[in-house]
Amino acid sequence: MMGGGLKDIVADSLFEGEMKYREPMSRHTSLKIGGPADFFAVPANLPALARLIDYLGRNDIPILLLGAGTNILVRDGGITGAVVCLSSLRGIEAIKEDSEHIWLSVQAGTLLQSLVMHAKRHGYAGIEGLAGIPGTVGGAIRGNAGSFGYEIKDVITSIEVMDRQGKIEGLRAKDISFGYRTTNIPHAYVLLRSTMKLRKEKPSDISARVERFLAVKRERQPIWEPSAGCVFKNPEGLSAGKLIEEVGCKGMRRGDIVVSSIHANFFINAGEGCAADFIALMTEVTEKVRITCGINLEPEIQIVGRDRAKG
Ligand SMILES: Cc1cc2nc3c(=O)[nH]c(=O)nc-3n(C[C@H](O)[C@H](O)[C@H](O)COP(=O)(O)OP(=O)(O)OC[C@H]3O[C@@H](n4cnc5c(N)ncnc54)[C@H](O)[C@@H]3O)c2cc1C
């Protein structure tokens, strides 16, 4: 039934965007891992997104929203239902300003680094610490991305979301609860855009901070290798990477998945790595840390999809 329904959408000449069946998710994740999505769509604009979301909702087809795939591990059996990628919805627009601040309206598919560089160029402060974090603004808001004491929540004044009927509504930041790599925005909502309030400052000061943060990342993280960033959340007051290193897991390997020797909270796909090995390595590392330190590490990455069928 689902296949037939999805074919209707593909046949719908009014849909604008890209659509694929059995699309390997390894093409859409920074880890380069993941089995095929039953259906993969990149709506070209808001009306196309609304029609698609409404259609999928009415037909009870599960939806996985995707930004740039830099924080997810897709299992080897792929994704049941539809992956809806927001990467076409890009844009940054100044909507208001006073002598000290600027308010930017930023679409969810905009790359976070385009926003950081835009702010750096124009002298808008508040997101310098997000320099070097890959992915989209939508993904960053979903997980309240942060680094160096900065979090994206600090600059958000409101967000616009689409519900599963394709209806758009606004949420004020003060009505949303943001935590460490989490928000209470319902998972059913598609994040469409956000208004952010940034401070006006001397571009050279902002630029210096951005460059300093980037230099630290380049030195301490294997940012050029396929990973999904930090695998585990930092336990309160501690560093997950340090704990993993202390229990001797640096360099540990399962198949082609390796605990980075540069930063132990990064697991690298060193070639043909698969999700099963990634998860097995996570379990092994978690067990070592639990037994040795009495601490339960919690995943920071999102693990989605189905296991590969046996046999
Ligand atoms: C090398 C490297 C370094 C990293 N460093 C950091 C760091 O310093 N700090 C940090 O916080 N993270 C870091 N990350 C993790 C990751 O980059 C961030 O979490 C990023 O914000 C995820 O954005 P994305 O677009 O890739 O999201 P995705 O991985 O595509 O999705 C993540 C989640 O957000 C949801 N989502 C995405 N877009 C939308 C939308 N428009 N509406 C609703 N839901 C949506 C998805 O369904 C999924 O649940 C790093 C990752 C890598 C690979």
Side-chain angles (χ1 to χ4, degrees):
M1 185 207 93
M2 193 175 72
L6 293 173
K7 282 201 178 82
D8 291 346
I9 309 179
V10 178
D12 179 351
S13 57
L14 292 176
F15 180 83
E16 282 179 66
E18 197 188 322
M19 293 199 180
K20 289 176 180 164
Y21 286 104
R22 305 278 306 156
E23 172 69 359
M25 288 301 292
S26 52
R27 293 184 186 156
H28 303 281
T29 59
S30 55
L31 267 171
K32 302 188 190 308
I33 288 176
D38 291 342
F39 177 68
F40 184 92
V42 190
N45 49 41
L46 223 48
L49 175 68
R51 286 170 65 87
L52 179 63
I53 292 289
D54 176 49
Y55 181 91
L56 296 170
R58 275 190 288 111
N59 288 279
D60 285 331
I61 297 172
I63 302 172
L64 172 72
L65 299 167
L66 188 74
T70 66
N71 197 34
I72 62 168
L73 172 66
V74 179
R75 290 193 179 90
D76 303 312
I79 305 281
T80 301
V83 172
V84 178
C85 178
L86 283 302
S87 62
S88 291
L89 306 181
R90 292 186 182 187
I92 303 170
E93 197 189 339
I95 51 171
K96 182 172 128 182
E97 68 182 300
D98 62 22
S99 57
E100 291 173 22
H101 297 100
I102 183 99
W103 282 259
L104 299 179
S105 171
V106 186
Q107 293 198 50
T110 307
L111 291 176
L112 183 59
Q113 288 318 291
S114 304
L115 176 63
V116 170
M117 291 306 142
H118 179 94
K120 176 180 121 165
R121 254 195 328 274
H122 290 84
Y124 306 147
I127 51 172
E128 300 88 298
L130 307 184
I133 302 180
T136 62
V137 166
I141 297 173
R142 171 86 266 163
N144 188 24
S147 195
F148 301 111
Y150 290 69
E151 288 179 315
I152 196 154
K153 75 165 174 54
D154 300 334
V155 296
I156 294 174
T157 60
S158 66
I159 59 172
E160 200 175 84
V161 295
M162 182 182 282
D163 69 15
R164 288 290 155 103
Q165 284 76 48
K167 212 172 87 247
I168 295 175
E169 67 176 282
L171 304 174
R172 293 176 306 180
K174 60 181 181 191
D175 297 327
I176 303 168
S177 155
F178 290 93
Y180 170 50
R181 303 293 171 268
T182 180
T183 69
N184 69 346
I185 301 167
H187 276 273
Y189 283 157
V190 187
L191 304 174
L192 298 178
R193 69 168 72 232
S194 168
T195 301
M196 300 184 185
K197 181 182 174 186
L198 300 171
R199 292 185 317 278
K200 292 181 179 173
E201 270 189 34
K202 230 163 85 189
S204 57
D205 291 350
I206 294 168
S207 185
R209 287 197 290 273
V210 166
E211 292 311 321
R212 185 155 39 84
F213 291 136
L214 282 175
V216 173
K217 290 222 170 207
R218 277 189 215 107
E219 192 192 314
R220 298 194 193 152
Q221 297 181 358
I223 48 177
W224 56 91
E225 294 187 281
S227 81
C230 287
V231 177
F232 299 103
K233 293 183 179 181
N234 288 324
E236 181 97 48
L238 296 168
S239 152
K242 284 221 170 70
L243 290 170
I244 297 168
E245 188 175 346
E246 276 163 24
V247 301
C249 292
K250 243 187 182 178
M252 194 182 258
R253 185 174 190 124
R254 269 283 185 128
D256 267 355
I257 307 295
V258 185
V259 177
S260 167
S261 55
I262 295 166
H263 189 311
N265 202 12
F266 281 61
F267 290 10
I268 306 300
N269 178 2
E272 302 294 314
C274 64
D277 283 340
F278 197 103
I279 292 167
L281 193 57
M282 282 178 75
T283 308
E284 211 171 323
V285 166
T286 309
E287 270 306 282
K288 276 218 158 198
V289 171
R290 190 181 62 77
I291 290 164
T292 316
C293 313
I295 292 168
N296 283 317
L297 291 178
E298 269 182 54
E300 178 169 327
I301 56 167
Q302 323 249 328
I303 303 177
V304 296
R306 57 199 169 202
D307 288 323
R308 201 189 326 253
K310 293 205 169 72

